[in-house]
Amino acid sequence: MSKKSLISIQDFTKEEILHILETAEEFEKNREQDFLKGKVIASLFFEPSTRTRLSFETAVNRLGARVIGFSDVNNTSLSKGETLKDTIKMVNNYVDMIIMRHPLEGSSRYASEVASVPVINAGDGANQHPSQTLLDLYSIKKTQGHLDNLTINMVGDLKYGRTTHSLLQAMSHFHPKFVFTAPESLRMPEVYRDFLDANGIDYEETTHLEDHLDDCDILYMTRVQQERFTDPIEYEKVKDVYSLNASMLGQVKENMKILHPLPRVNEISADVDETPYAYYFKQAGNGLYVRMAIISYLLGYR
């Protein structure tokens, strides 16, 4: 198998996406594996992360491989002025795969062009987060029983929210309808709306959270990401624009589930956690099985 990386969700076909989900289901049934024994995988996190980094590193360990890398660039030669290219070429000498998160859009694609081993994009700025998207799809399929013809309401930071951008593209294979709930300054970027128009996918936009709570199958909440704002005043204007609480869920569909890529701040009240609609903590747990499947597939084992 020639080198294949996962930088954008569009790097995978519909068939490959479904294969990953099927393999993840197998790993959920039996997560103790060792067929990657002897492999070494780099975990390079140029940006803070909890769930993504830990679930990737746990996935590597569950598969029998070993992890090297860093989660603080201040402890690396980057703090001395080393370029991203030189860092990737150096790490490439030691490992069988690179998993990378970086604040600059396009950085993971660049790394994949420099490296001779597969690269997984664990988030590049406001661009893409394809492994999160695959675990989102796995969570949607588990809760709804299928992926086809669902209504997905994306709420919050749709401008900088890389998880919503990737999920939108992945769900385009499955005849969805989208609702985009965001303030005007954080609406879904035009490039993604153009993508939906080109593919004949229905969507509507609103600024009011209450407008479509009762007619969606998936409510995909996101936080307003302070780290993406260059102007703190603009962040203050929108940081608490939406706040979901349990009292708002009285008329929602029985099958509706609330997803969130986490961490949350104020956009979901703690009282929602106890409702049958909250799925975000289980969603995070699903990341282990999906990332095991991605790693295995890109290394040519499953």
Side-chain angles (χ1 to χ4, degrees):
M1 180 179 180
S2 60
K3 186 195 88 164
K4 183 178 179 69
S5 294
L6 177 59
I7 308 303
S8 162
I9 194 63
Q10 291 185 300
D11 291 333
F12 277 4
T13 64
K14 178 181 179 180
E15 290 69 29
E16 287 175 308
I17 288 171
L18 293 174
H19 173 74
I20 293 294
L21 302 187
E22 291 167 3
T23 306
E25 188 174 1
E26 295 175 13
F27 284 140
E28 183 171 5
K29 294 173 183 175
N30 180 15
R31 63 183 185 178
E32 299 300 330
Q33 306 283 342
D34 64 357
F35 56 84
L36 293 189
K37 186 175 181 179
K39 298 290 185 183
V40 179
I41 296 177
S43 173
L44 309 184
F45 278 71
F46 297 81
E47 190 177 52
S49 171
T50 301
R51 278 152 297 278
T52 302
R53 182 175 66 84
L54 292 180
S55 65
F56 261 123
E57 293 183 3
T58 302
V60 172
N61 283 289
R62 293 286 186 192
L63 292 167
R66 289 169 290 171
V67 179
I68 65 169
F70 55 79
S71 58
D72 184 353
V73 295
N74 292 321
N75 295 329
T76 73
S77 291
L78 290 157
S79 63
K80 302 175 183 177
E82 183 173 63
T83 65
L84 175 61
K85 177 181 179 180
D86 286 0
T87 297
I88 296 301
K89 289 185 75 69
M90 180 273 297
V91 172
N92 184 82
N93 291 324
Y94 307 144
V95 301
D96 301 286
M97 170 180 280
I98 295 172
I99 299 164
M100 188 176 100
R101 169 171 287 189
H102 198 283
L104 294 180
E105 295 182 25
S107 54
S108 293
R109 181 69 68 190
Y110 177 71
S112 72
E113 293 168 354
V114 171
S116 61
V117 299
V119 175
I120 297 177
N121 178 10
D124 62 333
N127 186 29
Q128 289 267 334
H129 195 352
S131 70
Q132 175 71 44
T133 296
L134 288 164
L135 79 88
D136 290 344
L137 292 179
Y138 187 68
S139 298
I140 293 170
K141 189 171 186 290
K142 284 195 70 172
T143 61
Q144 304 301 312
H146 59 92
L147 292 171
D148 294 297
N149 302 305
L150 297 174
T151 298
I152 300 177
N153 186 352
M154 296 180 174
V155 179
D157 184 354
L158 307 187
K159 179 178 181 179
Y160 301 113
R162 58 194 174 197
T163 62
T164 62
H165 302 161
S166 295
L167 182 58
L168 177 154
Q169 292 178 322
M171 284 300 301
S172 68
H173 295 295
F174 303 102
H175 314 291
K177 175 184 177 181
F178 290 107
V179 177
F180 300 139
T181 305
E184 184 64 29
S185 62
L186 295 177
R187 68 187 296 211
M188 183 65 70
E190 184 177 6
V191 63
Y192 295 106
R193 288 181 278 124
D194 288 345
F195 171 84
L196 295 178
D197 290 337
N199 285 277
I201 296 172
D202 188 24
Y203 69 90
E204 59 183 289
E205 298 180 278
T206 180
T207 58
H208 303 291
L209 178 58
E210 294 82 0
D211 283 354
H212 288 282
L213 289 181
D214 301 345
D215 57 7
C216 64
D217 302 295
I218 296 293
L219 182 62
Y220 196 92
M221 300 292 296
T222 67
R223 70 183 174 94
V224 177
Q225 303 175 82
Q226 183 177 7
E227 63 270 27
R228 307 293 177 214
F229 284 77
T230 56
D231 184 347
I233 295 176
E234 290 302 311
Y235 170 71
E236 289 296 322
K237 288 180 181 177
V238 295
K239 68 175 184 177
D240 295 321
V241 65
Y242 301 122
S243 182
L244 182 72
N245 62 66
S247 67
M248 301 166 70
L249 302 174
Q251 301 298 318
V252 301
K253 296 171 70 172
E254 185 177 351
N255 66 297
M256 194 274 278
K257 288 293 180 286
I258 303 164
L259 304 187
H260 192 308
L262 301 176
R264 66 173 166 184
V265 185
N266 300 316
E267 62 276 2
I268 300 179
S269 173
D271 64 2
V272 175
D273 299 353
E274 307 307 316
T275 71
Y277 311 108
Y279 194 78
Y280 28 88
F281 294 122
K282 292 179 181 177
Q283 173 191 4
N286 290 336
L288 172 61
Y289 318 119
V290 171
R291 289 176 172 127
M292 288 175 71
I294 295 168
I295 293 168
S296 302
Y297 177 68
L298 293 179
L299 288 176
Y301 282 82
R302 290 293 177 94

